[in-house]
Every structure is written in structure tokens, then in C-alpha cells.
């Protein structure tokens, strides 16, 4: 499952790279009507290589929306394992067999992790690395996560676990979607295997993430989820206030505590 928006410079090479590493893997591209023709390029490669399906979505609605659409499509097709990855080569296709094998051996989810021994982010500045580590550590402590790298988008899921955590009920977008699914997985007691990866920044195209806004939204939601998890009675009282109603409107993951 590969969500795309403005990835014309990458999608052809990526699809061929995935097919070369995993010839028996079916590939699903969910394109948000990219103005640069990403969807059309994916269609052309699909016609040439086969076993590639392209979902042409009406417009850019956020990364989480694309993942939900793609996951539901894959689940309805009856697949046993569903993998997600980025389209910009920050995730090495060569790791795909390792992630899939971990699920086939019994894990509910296998994660391509930057923050386990052997993982790395060689192109990042010291400040960016520290911000990412701090954000992951904060989410891990506040939400009692089972993942060391809660924001990675390189994961292989057992299909039954995606159904169990109600993937359709998620509402977060951006990389907060990864934290929300990590929260749901942890609350469900999922077995997690983290595989070390080298995360490389894109070399073609440009990032679509608004960093400051995304970080602020993420910290707000993680704090609210943590409060709901750790102090449901306090959270229940806060819900009656203006800020509390706003925070509650953002999302409450399935299984998180809530006061009556």
C-alpha cells in the first residue's frame, strides 16, 4: 500500500524496485489526484508489469485518509498481510521481505524502525534527530506504546490486527496517523517486531509536511490521549470545557479510557 501525492519523479522507479525485490507481491497505489501526473505514471507501469492496482482518489485529503482507503480496499480483497511504505525511497524496498517474513512467523505487526539497535537516520541534522527522538519518547511514555519508533510509516500488518484495531475508525492524518495506529496496536496487546532500517531523506520531489503545525497538533493530541488513558475522571471533567470539547473532537482511539 503506497499513498502518493506529487511523486512523479519517484513512482516509476519505486514500483519497479518493489517488483524486483518481491516478484509475488501485489502493489496498491492510492493517488490523491496528483497534478504532476503520478497516477497516470503508475497506471502505465501497472499495465506493463501487472499485479499493480491504482486507486485514483478525487483529491488531497491527507495521508491518513489515503491509508484508510487503501487498507480497507486490501482487507476487502482478502489479503492476509498488508504493508505500508512511502513513495520517496526513504524506505528501502529491500527490507520488505524481512517485514513480511516477521508477520508470517507470528508478529501482528513488523515495523521498519530507526530507533532500535542498527537503525539510523544518517542525513538528518542533530536538531532534527533530537526532535524526532523526543517526540517518539514522549508518545511512548504518555501512551504506553509497544513501539520504539511510533512515527515510522514502514510497517507490515497482519490483516486481522488491522480489523481488530478498527483501522476504519482512525481519523488522524499526517504522521500522527502512525502514532494513532501505534496507540491502538498497543491497547490491543499486539505483538510487535521492530526491524532496524536506515531512513534516507528523499532525493527527488519535495516534502509535503508542514513541520511546525504538524508537531504542534501531534503534541496536543498525544497529551490529550495520555490524559484520557491515565486519568479518565479528570479527562471526563475537562471534556465539559471549551478546550476539552475541542480536544475530544480531534479523536479518541478505540479502547482508550473514557469517563462516563
Amino acid at each position: 500500500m503506497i499513498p502518493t501525492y506529487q511523486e512523479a519523479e519517484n513512482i516509476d522507479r519505486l514500483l519497479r524496485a518493489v517488483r524486483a525485490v518481491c516478484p509475488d507481491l501485489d502493489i496498491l497505489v492510492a493517488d490523491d489526484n496528483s497534478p504532476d501526473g503520478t497516477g497516470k505514471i503508475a497506471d502505465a507501469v501497472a499495465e506493463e508489469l501487472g499485479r499493480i492496482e491504482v486507486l485514483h482518489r478525487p483529491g488531497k485529503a491527507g495521508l491518513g485518509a489515503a491509508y484508510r482507503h487503501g487498507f480497507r480496499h486490501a482487507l476487502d480483497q482478502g489479503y492476509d498481510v498488508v504493508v505500508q511504505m512511502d513513495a520517496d525511497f526513504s524506505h528501502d524496498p529491500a527490507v520488505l521481505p524481512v517485514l513480511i517474513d516477521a508477520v508470517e512467523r507470528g508478529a501482528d505487526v513488523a515495523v521498519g524502525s530507526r530507533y532500535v539497535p542498527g537503525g539510523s537516520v544518517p542525513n538528518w541534522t542533530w536538531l532534527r534527530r533530537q526532535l524526532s527522538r523526543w517526540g517518539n519518547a514522549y508518545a511512548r511514555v504518555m501512551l504506553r506504546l509497544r513501539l520504539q519508533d511510533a512515527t515510522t510509516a514502514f510497517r507490515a500488518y497482519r490483516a486481522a490486527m488491522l480489523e481488530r484495531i478498527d483501522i476504519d475508525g482512525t481519523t488522524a492524518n499526517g504522521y500522527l496517523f502512525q502514532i494513532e495506529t501505534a496507540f491502538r496496536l498497543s491497547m490491543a496487546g499486539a505483538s510487535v517486531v521492530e526491524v532496524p532500517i536506515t531512513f534516507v531523506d528523499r532525493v527527488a520531489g519535495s516534502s509535503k509536511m508542514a513541520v511546525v503545525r504538524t508537531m504542534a497538533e501531534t503534541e496536543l493530541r498525544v497529551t490529550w490521549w495520555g490524559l484520557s488513558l491515565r486519568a479518565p475522571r479528570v479527562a471526563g471533567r475537562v471534556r465539559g470545557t471549551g478546550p476539552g470539547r475541542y480536544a475530544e473532537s480531534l479523536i479518541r482511539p478505540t479502547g482508550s479510557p473514557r469517563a462516563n
Side-chain angles (χ1 to χ4, degrees), residues 165-187:
I165 66 172
D166 183 22
I167 195 65
D168 300 304
T170 60
T171 62
N173 278 317
Y175 82 99
L176 181 62
F177 175 79
Q178 314 306 340
I179 296 179
E180 181 184 1
T181 52
F183 187 17
R184 289 174 178 240
L185 289 165
S186 299
M187 295 290 288

Side-chain angles (χ1 to χ4, degrees), residues 13-213:
R13 291 189 303 117
L14 180 67
L15 292 175
R16 295 180 190 278
V18 171
R19 177 51 49 80
V21 172
C22 296
D24 297 327
L25 197 67
D26 290 342
I27 306 172
L28 177 65
V29 176
D31 184 65
D32 278 1
N33 196 23
S34 299
D36 67 353
T38 299
K40 293 181 179 179
I41 295 171
D43 281 335
V45 180
E47 185 174 355
E48 177 187 345
L49 299 183
R51 298 184 66 172
I52 299 173
E53 185 176 1
V54 184
L55 297 178
H56 293 276
R57 291 166 46 77
K60 188 178 181 181
L63 192 60
Y67 273 128
R68 281 184 287 275
H69 188 172
F71 284 150
R72 174 43 53 197
H73 185 82
L75 291 170
D76 288 345
Q77 297 299 311
Y79 288 100
D80 296 314
V81 180
V82 183
V83 185
Q84 66 174 81
M85 69 184 302
D86 288 344
D88 60 3
F89 281 96
S90 57
H91 301 145
D92 185 354
V95 181
L96 283 169
V98 182
L99 297 179
I100 295 169
D101 181 66
V103 176
E104 290 179 341
R105 288 175 177 269
D108 291 317
V109 59
V111 175
S113 178
R114 299 160 292 183
Y115 301 129
V116 294
S120 65
V121 282
N123 303 105
W124 284 11
T125 64
W126 179 86
L127 178 59
R128 184 179 178 187
R129 189 177 295 111
Q130 296 309 308
L131 286 173
S132 178
R133 283 187 175 276
W134 183 87
N136 268 282
Y138 182 70
R140 190 165 57 250
V141 171
M142 288 295 292
L143 305 179
R144 301 171 182 167
L145 301 181
R146 295 179 172 224
L147 286 70
Q148 293 296 311
D149 190 345
T151 57
T152 181
F154 201 12
R155 301 177 183 176
Y157 295 93
R158 186 177 303 280
M161 181 53 66
L162 285 174
E163 294 282 19
R164 183 177 174 187
I165 66 172
D166 183 22
I167 195 65
D168 300 304
T170 60
T171 62
N173 278 317
Y175 82 99
L176 181 62
F177 175 79
Q178 314 306 340
I179 296 179
E180 181 184 1
T181 52
F183 187 17
R184 289 174 178 240
L185 289 165
S186 299
M187 295 290 288
S191 60
V192 180
V193 170
E194 293 195 66
V195 176
I197 63 168
T198 299
F199 181 92
V200 181
D201 275 332
R202 65 167 61 240
V203 295
S206 58
S207 173
K208 275 74 75 176
M209 185 176 72
V211 177
V212 175
R213 176 183 173 183

